[in-house]
Amino acid sequence: MTAKHLHPLAILPMMWKNLVNVIFSVLIVFGLFKALKQWQYFTILGIVVSLAILLAILKYWCLTYELGNQAITIHSGVIFRQQIHIPYNRIQTLQLKQWFYMKPFHVFAVSIETAGQSHAKAEGQLPMVTKHVVDQLQAVVNGGSQTSAITTYKTKPSTVYRINWSDLNAYAVTSMGIMPLLIALGWLYGKLDDILPQKWLNAVLSRTSQFSVLVIVGAVIGVLITGILISYLIIIQRYYHFQLAKQDQRLLTEKGFFQRNTIVASLDRIQAVVISQTILRQWLKLVSVQVILASSATNNEDQNNLVMMPVVKQQHYSQARTFIQWLPQVLPTYTRISPWAKWLLIRNAVMIVTVPVLILGIVFRPWGWLSLVALPIAVGLGAYSGRNMGVAILSPQLMSTQDGHFFKRSTYLIPKHRIQAMMVTQSVWMKRAQLAHLQLELRHGDAVQEVEVRYLPAQVAQSLYEWYRR
Amino acid sequence: MESGQALPAKIKTVWRISAGCSFLVGLLITGGLLTATVIWQWSRLFWLISAGLTVAEVVIELALIPYRYRFWRYRISERDVEIESGFFFHQQTAIPINRIQNVTLEAGPILQWQKLQTVSIETAATSHKIESVLPETAQQLKQQIMALALEAKPDDR
């Protein structure tokens, strides 16, 4: 195979990137030399722009790739030449991105990732290649040698799950994405005093007082509705036509409206399965199934997990089993923590907020005392956490934990051989109360994810520890 | 895990020395604050607090050394490495041999002088340390862990 260039369209984003990089510094330079004539401005601008274009073309010219028999080779770099060599059987995840403007040209951006820890960036990147190349790449990644695979690739994926419209709708509506937005708006409103001149504000206020409270309430509701609508649309956009398929030993997810995002991950990269539900979805009996992957392809996803099913009805959870066989038929009953342990969690939550509340209350009297509302919230958080804390052993090879943070319950299903280390922690006081924390270390992306079950009965923690060591 | 291996007794010396080092640093800071008080009439509070903290820190650190030593245990078996430490905050860690990715031996200046080494056991997620062992134990440990890691069938990965 000979070295190939990317699709010529790749020059455009490269150019754009170069321009964005330099335009800022050019503007600064313009700011410094104010005495220039108009034609001088234009010459400088012209030189900079043409340089950016030239460099993009040069970069495009120097980036070539080769699909060999055993491996893909990517050559890149204008001054410092770089050659990346990735054997096909080492490829762990393949990520394809297609922005809407790339669609008419049938081109994709490809990121190739291996098990190597290169921190956040995928090992191989091809910013724009044609569908044909993508198919070829997928084929060789899926099975052995290239020539034999191309013909057999046409086999349909064995299992497919597509999100239906009502599920997606439910997901977006129950999403908490609206919360940060509201907080931001509230903050902005609070800052209004500082930003706007007092006189102007007074004028507006005196005028609005004629319409009295009605206008203000109307405005607030308007802002709220816009905020909700925007966050709703953002989520619909992101999970538009979500699709999950299983192909050989790989999971394939596809989603997005403006940017179609495809992730192909091998099943044996899965470290654990997380079933999460916010308190709102708990009431509506909806769950979201996610996968903890030893890959950074999912860095922009929900909590950096690979989303397997954005939202399904609780009783339909078993659908996930068709994709990952080792999942249990039904979720187990969990060993819960004692009432005393629940009280300890509430105490801790309250203790954490007490100091800031006191400081706020004393320093910003009297309005600072409004922060006292944090206390009941802390009690709620502690109680919620206590009610959802639990652990269960499902088989000699599989365990499950549950916890609740910030009104969101996460259920972890963890195969024993994915637990990198287990710890039992106990303070002197906990020893007296016969309690212990249990911590598990999982690999997540390129880093560690710790799963902790707090204030378990000591003998339960110990029995899990023994289970792990067996 | 009372049966586990204790750290070499020399580690107590190392801990004492490192307590001494932090005392020196504390003294330097206190000295600086004292000078500032003399020259620029800073509040006396600063250097008094610093001196108090320095003394308290060293006293506590020294007082805890016997406990720290008493409760530090490690054990290496066919299947896993176990590390146990802490009295007030007791922690027990198990790392199965076939999760170990690599083993690193390291020693800072104080450890080198005392002829000790730290063993750091790395998994795919993080690393765990056995605070110090004698060099011959370190070599032996390294070989044992590596041999076991080679033997351990990647049964369930």
Side-chain angles (χ1 to χ4, degrees):
Chain A
M1 269 252 167
T2 49
K4 283 190 285 190
H5 288 284
L6 301 174
H7 192 277
L9 194 67
I11 298 176
L12 286 179
M14 285 177 184
M15 240 185 251
W16 173 248
K17 213 186 259 171
N18 283 348
L19 278 177
V20 169
N21 281 344
V22 292
I23 212 77
F24 206 65
S25 37
V26 168
L27 285 179
I28 289 173
V29 170
F30 280 5
L32 288 180
F33 304 102
K34 280 181 183 139
L36 291 181
K37 294 199 182 70
Q38 202 177 13
W39 66 269
Q40 283 169 315
Y41 277 127
F42 281 114
T43 345
I44 295 176
L45 208 63
I47 291 172
V48 166
V49 169
S50 49
L51 251 170
I53 292 171
L54 207 73
L55 279 176
I57 293 173
L58 213 63
K59 194 175 163 196
Y60 169 81
W61 193 252
C62 291
L63 206 162
T64 58
Y65 64 95
E66 238 173 291
L67 290 173
N69 285 329
Q70 302 294 324
I72 176 170
T73 314
I74 302 173
H75 304 264
S76 64
V78 177
I79 296 166
F80 297 98
R81 297 286 292 161
Q82 198 183 22
Q83 203 185 86
I84 306 166
H85 204 71
I86 308 171
Y88 296 131
N89 57 4
R90 288 281 176 262
I91 296 176
Q92 295 290 355
T93 45
L94 204 61
Q95 192 177 18
L96 311 175
K97 285 182 192 163
Q98 188 180 40
W99 284 95
F100 57 93
Y101 63 82
M102 291 154 76
K103 212 163 191 174
F105 302 94
H106 300 287
V107 291
F108 296 84
V110 181
S111 310
I112 301 164
E113 208 182 320
T114 66
Q117 301 199 352
S118 66
H119 295 289
K121 216 172 159 200
E123 277 85 358
Q125 301 215 348
L126 300 172
M128 236 175 250
V129 289
T130 53
K131 180 90 174 68
H132 177 68
V133 178
V134 171
D135 282 348
Q136 228 172 321
L137 202 58
Q138 265 183 337
V140 288
V141 169
N142 274 329
S145 85
Q146 194 188 352
T147 39
S148 64
I150 286 176
T151 45
T152 55
Y153 177 61
K154 299 293 176 219
T155 52
K156 280 266 167 284
S158 45
T159 347
V160 181
Y161 159 82
R162 280 190 192 85
I163 196 164
N164 57 40
W165 184 250
S166 73
D167 276 357
L168 179 57
N169 204 29
Y171 182 71
V173 168
T174 55
S175 165
M176 294 275 193
I178 183 70
M179 280 302 160
L181 209 72
L182 282 183
I183 292 168
L185 282 175
W187 177 83
L188 204 70
Y189 186 74
K191 284 278 167 194
L192 223 56
D193 275 348
D194 308 336
I195 299 166
L196 300 176
Q198 196 57 43
K199 219 184 196 173
W200 199 74
L201 202 68
N202 282 343
V204 173
L205 279 180
S206 66
R207 205 168 300 163
T208 49
S209 65
Q210 295 166 8
F211 304 98
S212 81
V213 197
L214 263 177
V215 174
I216 297 174
V217 169
V220 167
I221 290 175
V223 164
L224 275 182
I225 289 175
T226 330
I228 290 171
L229 212 66
I230 289 173
S231 90
Y232 174 83
L233 287 177
I234 286 175
I235 289 161
I236 295 278
Q237 179 303 108
R238 188 185 302 165
Y239 291 104
Y240 184 79
H241 277 191
F242 179 92
Q243 182 181 319
L244 171 75
K246 187 177 166 187
Q247 208 162 32
D248 300 326
Q249 283 307 299
R250 279 157 203 281
L251 280 184
L252 195 148
T253 72
E254 215 183 313
K255 62 176 183 293
F257 183 74
F258 289 120
Q259 191 202 55
R260 201 80 187 136
N261 192 330
T262 311
I263 296 176
V264 188
S266 76
L267 272 175
D268 55 270
R269 290 260 94 188
I270 294 175
Q271 307 292 305
V273 171
V274 193
I275 300 168
S276 61
Q277 32 184 181
T278 53
I279 196 163
L280 193 61
R281 291 192 189 140
Q282 229 166 310
W283 286 330
L284 298 168
K285 300 230 178 297
L286 296 171
V287 297
S288 153
V289 184
Q290 301 172 352
V291 167
I292 293 181
L293 219 55
S295 151
S296 51
T298 53
N299 271 354
N300 301 319
E301 306 258 328
D302 191 8
Q303 295 183 337
N304 296 352
N305 295 334
L306 177 69
V307 176
M308 237 179 93
M309 297 180 172
V311 73
V312 284
K313 301 249 160 35
Q314 212 156 5
Q315 69 262 32
H316 293 156
Y317 140 82
S318 57
Q319 266 184 301
R321 276 192 85 226
T322 50
F323 296 98
I324 300 175
Q325 262 99 25
W326 50 260
L327 287 178
Q329 211 116 44
V330 281
L331 289 179
T333 41
Y334 290 87
T335 312
R336 298 291 176 194
I337 60 176
S338 64
W340 175 250
K342 286 177 186 170
W343 148 246
L344 287 176
L345 283 167
I346 296 173
R347 181 203 67 181
N348 289 354
V350 170
M351 251 162 47
I352 289 169
V353 297
T354 303
V355 174
V357 163
L358 279 180
I359 291 173
L360 277 175
I362 291 166
V363 176
F364 301 105
R365 240 173 337 199
W367 294 109
W369 290 114
L370 277 179
S371 61
L372 278 174
V373 293
L375 289 179
I377 294 175
V379 172
L381 281 172
Y384 181 81
S385 172
R387 202 174 37 187
N388 288 303
M389 201 73 83
V391 43
I393 296 175
L394 289 101
S395 80
Q397 292 305 325
L398 187 64
M399 70 170 288
S400 179
T401 71
Q402 213 167 53
D403 61 35
H405 285 300
F406 295 104
F407 298 120
K408 180 176 179 181
R409 176 164 81 183
S410 306
T411 309
Y412 292 85
L413 290 152
I414 313 164
K416 189 201 262 181
H417 64 275
R418 293 301 183 196
I419 305 171
Q420 303 294 338
M422 191 183 273
M423 283 165 275
V424 175
T425 319
Q426 195 178 34
S427 69
V428 206
W429 306 279
M430 286 165 70
K431 196 172 264 175
R432 217 176 296 147
Q434 296 276 306
L435 298 173
H437 304 315
L438 183 79
Q439 288 147 303
L440 324 174
E441 284 178 358
L442 299 176
R443 176 153 180 202
H444 185 186
D446 277 345
V448 57
Q449 167 147 11
E450 208 164 80
V451 177
E452 193 179 28
V453 188
R454 295 173 71 77
Y455 295 115
L456 274 174
Q459 79 271 18
V460 173
Q462 206 59 42
S463 72
L464 265 137
Y465 187 79
E466 293 309 324
W467 168 85
Y468 178 60
R469 292 189 58 208
R470 220 172 290 134
Chain B
M1 200 178 69
E2 289 302 308
S3 55
Q5 187 88 40
L7 297 177
K10 276 198 286 185
I11 189 70
K12 286 196 266 189
T13 324
V14 174
W15 286 338
R16 278 186 210 116
I17 293 167
S18 78
C21 287
S22 51
F23 183 63
L24 273 180
V25 171
L27 272 189
L28 275 176
I29 294 171
T30 312
L33 287 171
L34 192 58
T35 323
T37 313
V38 172
I39 298 175
W40 299 297
Q41 275 82 44
W42 280 20
S43 165
R44 267 191 317 193
L45 218 57
F46 288 117
W47 78 264
L48 282 175
I49 288 175
S50 166
L53 281 178
T54 307
V55 172
E57 201 259 347
V58 169
V59 167
I60 291 171
E61 209 173 322
L62 286 175
L64 285 182
I65 283 177
Y67 291 102
R68 203 168 155 197
Y69 179 74
R70 168 73 185 76
F71 290 97
W72 232 108
R73 287 279 186 280
Y74 67 89
R75 188 172 62 190
I76 296 164
S77 70
E78 294 280 300
R79 297 188 57 85
D80 56 11
V81 178
E82 266 193 291
I83 300 170
E84 193 180 5
S85 68
F87 169 66
F88 292 106
F89 297 96
H90 180 263
Q91 188 172 57
Q92 196 177 349
T93 307
I95 311 147
I97 298 281
N98 60 6
R99 311 291 142 77
I100 296 173
Q101 301 288 319
N102 52 294
V103 176
T104 315
L105 303 178
E106 54 198 8
I110 304 175
L111 282 178
Q112 272 175 40
W113 172 47
Q114 287 296 314
K115 304 228 163 32
L116 293 173
Q117 270 177 318
T118 299
V119 182
S120 134
I121 299 165
E122 275 154 55
T123 67
T126 49
S127 69
H128 299 267
K129 281 194 166 76
I130 299 178
E131 266 209 36
S132 86
V133 292
L134 298 166
E136 52 277 19
T137 329
Q139 284 304 324
Q140 191 191 325
L141 263 177
K142 191 186 75 181
Q143 259 148 29
Q144 194 177 351
I145 290 172
M146 290 326 274
L148 285 170
L150 284 178
E151 266 171 42
K153 52 178 185 343
D155 50 8
D156 39 15
R157 69 180 54 225

